[in-house]
Amino acid sequence: MSILDNLTSKFRVDAIGEPSTEESIAQLKLFSPIEVPNDYIDIIRKGTDVEINAQVEDEEGEYEMYLRIWGANVSIENSEGYNLEKYIPSSIIIGDNEGGMVIIYGTGKEGLGIYLTGYGDLDISDAIYIALSLGDLLTRNVGIENLQG
C-alpha cells in the first residue's frame, strides 16, 4: 500500500500524473548524490506531479496550501538546473509548495530530512526543516506546522 493511500485527514491528493518509469527512477538513483528515499520512490511509482492539498494552521487560523511532488525526471532536471550540488551538496529537489519554495531531501541543520527553501535562496542554513521523511509528514502530520515557510 502506498503512502498516498494512508494520508492523514490533513492531506488529500487533488491531482496526480503518470507514474515515473522504472528506467527514470534508476536514472535518478544514479544521478543523486544521496540515497533516494524509499517513501519518495513509493510516491513517484504511483504518480508524478502529485498535488497534495494540506490543511495547515498558523496564528491566524487554518488555511489550505499545496505541495507538489515531482517525478524522477523533473527532480533530475531541477536539481541540475538550479545547480543544487553547488549550493546544497548531498541533496535532491523532490517538489515544491506551488508558492515559490522547493522541497529538498538532504542534510541541513536538523540532519538528513525534508526541507523547504526558496528558489532564489538555495542555502541549507536558511532552509526550514519539515520532517525526517515524506512518510512522517503525510501519514503522521510530523512537521505539518513547518509547511508555511
Side-chain angles (χ1 to χ4, degrees):
M1 189 172 279
S2 169
I3 288 170
L4 297 178
D5 297 322
N6 290 307
L7 301 177
T8 71
S9 62
K10 296 283 187 182
F11 297 100
R12 76 171 184 266
V13 174
D14 282 354
I16 189 167
E18 292 295 316
S20 288
T21 64
E22 289 303 316
E23 179 182 337
S24 66
I25 292 170
Q27 289 172 346
L28 177 62
K29 287 179 178 180
L30 287 173
F31 165 82
S32 179
I34 58 172
E35 185 174 339
V36 180
N38 288 331
D39 54 359
Y40 171 66
I41 292 172
D42 172 69
I43 290 171
I44 65 175
R45 278 187 172 134
K46 183 137 183 151
T48 61
D49 294 325
V50 182
E51 292 187 12
I52 300 172
N53 177 285
Q55 300 288 319
V56 295
E57 291 182 43
D58 64 12
E59 58 278 348
E60 296 179 19
E62 188 171 281
Y63 63 95
E64 294 182 1
M65 66 175 297
Y66 278 92
L67 303 176
R68 184 172 42 205
I69 306 300
W70 301 331
N73 291 337
V74 177
S75 175
I76 293 169
E77 289 168 14
N78 283 302
S79 292
E80 285 181 327
Y82 285 101
N83 205 5
L84 192 64
E85 186 62 30
K86 176 181 175 184
Y87 299 106
I88 307 176
S90 301
S91 63
I92 56 171
I93 297 175
I94 60 173
D96 66 34
N97 72 350
E98 295 189 320
M101 298 186 87
V102 291
I103 302 168
I104 293 173
Y105 182 74
T107 303
K109 296 177 281 193
E110 304 291 328
L112 191 61
I114 306 296
Y115 289 84
L116 195 61
T117 190
Y119 280 103
D121 183 24
L122 292 178
D123 183 347
I124 197 65
S125 64
D126 293 334
I128 300 161
Y129 177 76
I130 299 173
L132 178 62
S133 68
L134 287 170
D136 283 349
L137 173 64
L138 299 172
T139 66
R140 297 180 38 226
N141 293 333
V142 174
I144 193 170
E145 68 278 2
N146 298 325
L147 289 178
Q148 62 266 24

